[in-house]
Amino acid sequence: MSASPRWKQRPEGSTWGERLESVAAALMVACLAVFACAGLAHAQVVALGASQTYGKGVDRSQSYQSQLEAMLRAKGQNVRVENAGINGDTTGGMLGRLDGAVPNGTRVVILQPGGNDMRKGSEASRGANISAIVQRLNARHIRVIMLENGNFRGFPRQTDGVHLTPEGYRAIAQRLLPQVVSAIGR
């Protein structure tokens, strides 16, 4: 008489039903973990822009997105704010990377077109690029909050005279907070 294959042998002290239940429970826990992690990776708010959006010169935790996310969470909003800022980016660059920077499921984009178009000689296409970005986001039912350079006036700046300090980014986050709460609530 030959022995049963190992997979057919019952573990000591358990029935097949008990073993099947424990395997099913483990699979359920694994599936829930995968879906929970996928939900955490889902960006509901994306900040798209140049160096002020990136937070040039400050720690990532001091960028306006990080501070805005903390403020939203303090208000009970379970919102992730994704930083899609790139130092030196132009509106043409933002338009070109729009689909990759703004994933499906995004509800709000904070668009900061910056001043690099003028510095890099592409100022003539700035308006058309901004319009195209807004149109593409609106077609995806994503609300757009504009954050033009004028919004940075009067806030504390780093020694370069251009980029904000952590306190300046906090002030921007506070200014954006009611707009983002309103846009998410719709």
Side-chain angles (χ1 to χ4, degrees):
M1 177 178 223
S2 67
S4 301
R6 183 138 178 88
W7 62 271
K8 285 188 176 179
Q9 295 174 2
R10 191 178 80 190
E12 190 74 31
S14 67
T15 66
W16 278 109
E18 290 170 337
R19 186 149 189 219
L20 187 58
E21 284 178 17
S22 66
V23 169
L27 284 172
M28 178 80 77
V29 168
C31 286
L32 289 173
V34 167
F35 287 118
C37 288
L40 290 175
H42 176 74
Q44 294 171 310
V45 177
V46 173
L48 179 66
S51 58
Q52 293 284 31
T53 296
Y54 175 78
K56 184 175 180 177
V58 300
D59 187 76
R60 293 305 102 220
S61 66
Q62 297 171 325
S63 70
Y64 82 76
Q65 300 84 358
S66 294
Q67 295 190 57
L68 177 61
E69 182 175 303
M71 290 174 187
L72 287 163
R73 289 179 184 260
K75 287 188 156 294
Q77 299 276 345
N78 187 16
V79 175
R80 178 165 177 185
V81 182
E82 185 71 32
N83 186 337
I86 295 180
N87 285 329
D89 205 3
T90 62
T91 57
M94 291 173 215
L95 180 59
R97 65 186 176 91
L98 186 62
D99 292 335
V102 182
N104 289 335
T106 300
R107 295 176 67 187
V108 178
V109 167
I110 301 167
L111 178 60
Q112 184 257 323
N116 293 319
D117 287 359
M118 185 170 42
R119 276 190 332 102
K120 295 183 178 185
S122 56
E123 187 175 14
S125 57
R126 186 178 192 269
N129 289 337
I130 293 170
S131 181
I133 291 168
V134 170
Q135 286 175 0
R136 284 177 52 187
L137 292 171
N138 286 340
R140 293 173 55 192
H141 306 288
I142 298 172
R143 302 208 182 275
V144 179
I145 297 172
M146 289 298 296
L147 184 60
E148 285 284 4
N149 285 345
N151 289 292
F152 299 104
R153 285 191 192 112
F155 293 126
R157 296 188 185 269
Q158 298 173 37
T159 56
D160 68 3
V162 176
H163 300 97
L164 299 181
T165 63
E167 296 77 23
Y169 286 122
R170 180 168 185 72
I172 289 294
Q174 288 172 327
R175 181 178 282 181
L176 288 168
L177 182 63
Q179 296 174 66
V180 172
V181 168
S182 176
I184 289 171
R186 293 184 198 168

